[in-house]
Amino acid sequence: MIILDRLEPLRALVDRELDAFLPGETERPEAVHRAMRYSSLARGKRLRPILAILTARIFRGETEEIAPVAAAIELIHSYSLIHDDLPCMDDDDLRRGVPTCHKAFGEAVAVLAGDALLTCAFEMILANGRKHGFSAEALLSVISELSRAAGSRGMIAGQIEDIQSEGKEIDPDLLRYIHHHKTGCLFTASVRVGAILAGAGEKGLDDVSRFGDIFGQAFQITDDILDVEGDSAVTGKPQGSDQQKAKATYPRLFTLEKSKQMAREQVDEAAAILAPYAPASDDLIALVRYLPDRTS
Ligand code: GRG
């Protein structure tokens, strides 16, 4: 069974938590609430909350009570996708196999739904965190990790450098900067959130941070490869979009073959970091090993 099938119950658990916390479609302002639910409940892999939950298991065993807090990370991710798709950014029409938020609801609603998802994430962390008995100190650390990863020292930094580098010559350092910030920071924050909620010590936090960073790089390389080789019916987003916009990508800088090799090397490196935690780290290792073969 491939790892994503084995993790399907976790994916469904995250969806139930999101469904339960997000405002209902009939609650005023209906348009914004409908758009928030439309984009965040659309079929996605829920990789970031799943990474947090699996990381927590390394340090604390079965950890169902992490899910209501970890699920909030998906709201930050969904916000970034909505804004990334806007006409002023990537101007994409398809996401997760359905029309993008601004195509379905208009631009003003999409901007506001994205903003509301970002703030809703922090509301969800506090509300669910207190309900499930996490300390105020742990929840402050979680908020600190995620706000930094989503802010101008994290995702925003990667996004703006990505936009500004379109059509220009890029070097490997810039490519690494863009992807580390745009994609890697939220993956690293996700595993750190899982470790913090599970009470991991310094060494554990350090190990999962290195794992998260390399996971992010391997994920991004395969994302770039999928833009070249993927099937938009499976990825749920337009194929060739990066190439069309002359984006900074691994295949553009290193060729497709070399990019695939780099992804495989990073997967091995990430797996080695968590090998000493086996068998508790088996699912995380399987998840990173799935990246080079992913089709969506
Ligand atoms: C702050 C506007 C703004 C953007 C931040 C994350 C980001 C930058 C933009 C998202 C666009 C994008 C395609 C980034 C590359 C990697 C990525 C995040 C892909 C989508 O993530 P998946 O594959 O998606 O986990 P699903 O749909 O499965 O959740």
Side-chain angles (χ1 to χ4, degrees):
M1 193 196 284
I2 70 160
I3 182 70
L4 282 196
D5 292 337
R6 197 159 81 235
L7 295 176
E8 177 54 29
L10 273 191
R11 207 195 65 78
L13 175 62
V14 169
D15 276 5
R16 285 198 299 279
E17 294 296 340
L18 294 176
D19 186 31
F21 195 81
L22 283 165
E25 296 199 344
T26 54
E27 185 180 330
R28 201 169 170 187
E30 293 89 343
V32 170
H33 291 153
R34 273 184 25 238
M36 288 166 75
R37 297 181 70 88
Y38 171 87
S39 288
S40 53
L41 297 175
R43 180 94 190 176
K45 297 181 287 297
R46 315 295 184 235
L47 279 181
R48 294 149 191 85
I50 287 176
L51 278 171
I53 297 167
L54 293 181
T55 305
R57 281 185 186 166
I58 292 186
F59 302 103
R60 185 161 144 161
E62 277 308 310
T63 49
E64 292 291 290
E65 70 280 11
I66 302 277
V69 181
I73 306 171
E74 187 65 19
L75 299 181
I76 300 177
H77 172 56
S78 298
Y79 130 76
S80 77
L81 298 180
I82 293 176
H83 282 199
D84 185 64
D85 290 333
L86 286 170
C88 63
M89 301 231 188
D90 272 4
D91 194 13
D92 277 322
D93 296 348
L94 195 66
R95 169 72 66 184
R96 292 176 164 173
V98 293
T100 47
C101 194
H102 65 275
K103 283 282 163 191
F105 296 91
E107 230 176 302
V109 171
V111 169
L112 293 171
D115 292 342
L117 285 171
L118 177 61
T119 42
C120 189
F122 295 103
E123 188 188 342
M124 185 174 182
I125 288 164
L126 284 180
N128 283 346
R130 294 308 276 163
K131 194 161 94 189
H132 290 272
F134 291 102
S135 70
E137 193 187 346
L139 296 176
L140 282 176
S141 295
V142 165
I143 288 173
S144 166
E145 292 289 337
L146 291 171
S147 51
R148 189 173 172 108
S152 64
R153 294 188 172 112
M155 230 161 44
I156 302 283
Q159 181 75 352
I160 188 64
E161 297 259 350
D162 190 20
I163 291 169
Q164 289 173 339
S165 72
E166 273 176 35
K168 296 198 181 127
E169 281 305 310
I170 43 151
D171 60 43
D173 281 349
L174 178 58
L175 185 69
R176 166 93 180 99
Y177 178 94
I178 290 172
H179 292 320
H180 169 74
H181 288 83
K182 190 171 123 170
T183 314
C185 285
L186 196 57
F187 278 124
T188 304
S190 300
V191 293
R192 285 179 63 85
V193 163
I196 289 165
L197 292 174
E202 276 307 308
K203 164 87 170 85
L205 262 175
D206 189 51
D207 286 342
V208 301
S209 303
R210 288 189 296 121
F211 172 85
D213 185 47
I214 301 171
F215 186 102
Q217 288 175 49
F219 176 90
Q220 187 58 54
I221 297 173
T222 55
D223 207 65
D224 289 354
I225 293 170
L226 280 176
D227 188 70
V228 181
E229 291 191 324
D231 175 355
S232 70
V234 184
T235 61
K237 56 189 183 184
Q239 192 253 334
S241 168
D242 293 345
Q243 294 178 88
Q244 217 170 39
K245 294 172 191 123
K247 285 251 190 197
T249 68
Y250 282 87
R252 188 173 148 214
L253 206 60
F254 295 104
T255 77
L256 208 49
E257 274 321 301
K258 173 83 179 140
S259 303
K260 288 179 183 175
Q261 186 198 330
M262 289 166 81
R264 286 193 296 270
E265 284 166 7
Q266 288 185 325
V267 162
D268 287 341
E269 202 182 324
I273 294 169
L274 293 192
Y277 296 91
S281 58
D282 285 357
D283 280 344
L284 274 178
I285 292 175
L287 195 54
V288 75
R289 288 217 174 279
Y290 135 87
L291 290 179
D293 301 322
R294 75 189 182 100
T295 53
S296 71

